[in-house]
Amino acid sequence: MERVRNYIKLMRLKHCVKNILILLPLVFSGELFQYGKLLSSALGFLAFSFLASAVYILNDIQDVEKDRLHPKKKFRPIASGKVSEKQGKVLSVVAMIGAITLNFLATTNYVSFIFLGIYLVMNIFYSKGLKNVPLLDIVVLASGFLLRLIYGGIVTNIHISNWLYLTVITASFYMGLGKRRNELGKSGNQINTRKVLKYYNYAFLDKNMYMCLGLTNAFYALWVIGTQKEVMIWTVPMVMVLGMKYSLNIERDSDGDPVEVILQDKILWLLGILYSALVIGAIYLV
C-alpha cells in the first residue's frame, strides 16, 4: 500500500486540476450536455493527465540530484529513494501508453496526437535545459496551459475564440511569472536548484505579473462581449475577484506554484465554484 501511495505521489495526480482547461471549450460552447462530446472531453482530460504524469516522472528522474538539495523537493518519491529511478521509468512508460490509448478513444482526429507530442517534446527540452533560459522558461510554462486548451478544442471539434486564447495565454503568463517571483523571493537553496532565478529580479517579475493579470481581465471581458450572452457580463467582476484572491495568496508565504495556491485555499475553491455556477447558469439556463 505504501508503494502505491508513492507511485500516486510521483504521478502528481493533484496537478490534474490544470487539465480543467481541456473542458473549457465544451463548457463555453453550450454543448456540455451532448453525450458524445462530453465523453470525448472526459477521455481527453484523462489522456492529458496520464501524459502530464509521465512528464513529471521524467523530470523528477532528470533533476533527482538537484531535488535532494531542495528543502521541499527532497521529499519527492525518487529524490527520497522511496521509488527507484528504474521503477519511475517503467511507470512513465505505462502512463504514456495510457495516454495514447485514451486519446484513441477520445477522438478520431489524429491532430490531437501532434499536440500531445508537442507537449511531451517541449517538456523534455524544458527539463534538459530550457528551464535555465530566462523568459523562455516562463514561455514553456505558459505554453503548457495553452496546449491544454487547444487540445480540448480538438478532441471535441469545437472552435475556440481568439479572445479566449488570449485570456488563457495572459493568465498563464501571470501564474508563471508569479511562480518565479515567489521562488526568487524565497531564494536560499532555490538558487542552487533553479539556475534561471539568477537572471531575474523581483521588480521585473512583479510588474510583468500584474500587467498580465490586467490583460487577462481585459481579454476575458472582450471574450464575454463576443459571446452575445448578456448575462455573462456579470462573470467579469467574478474573474477580477478570483484574480485578486489568487494574488493575495501568493503575496503571502507561498512559492507561487499554481496548484498549491489553488488547492490550499477553500475560499478560492468556493469562488471558483460560484464562478462556474454563474457561467453554467448564463449559458445553459438563461
Side-chain angles (χ1 to χ4, degrees):
M1 195 64 184
E2 180 66 24
R3 179 179 294 182
V4 173
R5 280 197 292 266
N6 286 326
Y7 286 159
I8 291 174
K9 185 177 180 181
L10 180 61
M11 293 178 73
R12 299 190 212 175
L13 295 186
K14 64 182 180 180
H15 282 249
C16 290
V17 68
K18 298 176 184 176
N19 298 332
I20 289 175
L21 285 167
I22 293 170
L23 308 178
L24 291 190
L26 180 62
V27 173
F28 290 150
S29 69
E31 301 178 72
L32 178 61
F33 299 110
Q34 288 193 19
Y35 177 76
K37 292 193 174 184
L38 180 59
L39 180 60
S40 293
S41 193
L43 289 169
F45 178 95
L46 292 174
F48 214 103
S49 297
F50 273 99
L51 181 65
S53 289
V55 168
Y56 293 140
I57 295 168
L58 292 175
N59 188 58
D60 282 359
I61 293 172
Q62 175 72 26
D63 293 344
V64 61
E65 296 302 327
K66 291 181 180 179
D67 286 351
R68 285 169 179 160
L69 300 174
H70 193 279
K72 288 179 63 178
K73 295 179 181 179
K74 66 182 180 182
F75 296 112
R76 288 178 175 175
I78 292 179
S80 65
K82 293 179 180 179
V83 175
S84 69
E85 291 185 33
K86 182 178 179 180
Q87 290 172 325
K89 290 176 182 177
V90 171
L91 185 59
S92 180
V93 171
V94 171
M96 286 186 193
I97 293 172
I100 293 170
T101 303
L102 287 163
N103 189 67
F104 264 121
L105 296 173
T107 178
T108 56
N109 188 345
Y110 295 114
V111 175
S112 60
F113 282 103
I114 294 176
F115 283 91
L116 289 179
I118 290 172
Y119 179 82
L120 177 61
V121 172
M122 181 181 71
N123 278 280
I124 288 174
F125 278 106
Y126 176 81
S127 181
K128 292 291 185 180
L130 292 184
K131 62 184 178 182
N132 298 320
V133 181
L135 293 184
L136 191 55
D137 66 314
I138 297 173
V139 169
V140 173
L141 290 176
S143 297
F145 290 101
L146 179 62
L147 286 172
R148 286 171 167 86
L149 180 69
I150 296 172
Y151 178 75
I154 290 172
V155 296
T156 54
N157 194 30
I158 290 173
H159 173 74
I160 300 172
S161 163
N162 289 333
W163 290 123
L164 186 56
Y165 277 129
L166 288 173
T167 301
V168 171
I169 289 170
T170 51
S172 301
F173 273 114
Y174 161 67
M175 289 186 288
L177 288 161
K179 187 174 189 296
R180 288 292 183 263
R181 189 197 72 155
N182 281 29
E183 288 173 342
L184 183 65
K186 286 183 174 294
S187 295
N189 286 335
Q190 290 275 19
I191 298 295
N192 297 322
T193 58
R194 197 178 291 285
K195 295 179 181 178
V196 76
L197 293 178
K198 66 184 178 182
Y199 298 106
Y200 292 126
N201 63 70
Y202 188 90
F204 167 83
L205 293 168
D206 187 67
K207 290 174 184 176
N208 283 280
M209 167 187 155
Y210 283 112
M211 175 192 72
C212 288
L213 178 59
L215 286 172
T216 298
N217 291 330
F219 289 144
Y220 179 78
L222 289 167
W223 172 75
V224 164
I225 292 170
T227 63
Q228 297 182 338
K229 288 272 188 177
E230 292 187 9
V231 182
M232 279 288 287
I233 199 68
W234 296 107
T235 67
V236 175
M238 197 72 228
V239 168
M240 293 173 65
V241 172
L242 279 164
M244 287 187 281
K245 186 63 176 76
Y246 185 97
S247 296
L248 181 62
N249 287 355
I250 64 174
E251 291 290 352
R252 296 173 177 174
D253 186 28
S254 165
D255 63 3
D257 183 281
V259 174
E260 297 297 333
V261 172
I262 293 170
L263 294 183
Q264 292 179 0
D265 187 347
K266 292 180 181 179
I267 295 177
L268 196 58
W269 267 100
L270 288 173
L271 289 171
I273 292 171
L274 178 58
Y275 166 75
S276 300
L278 286 173
V279 168
I280 296 296
I283 295 176
Y284 295 92
L285 300 179
V286 177

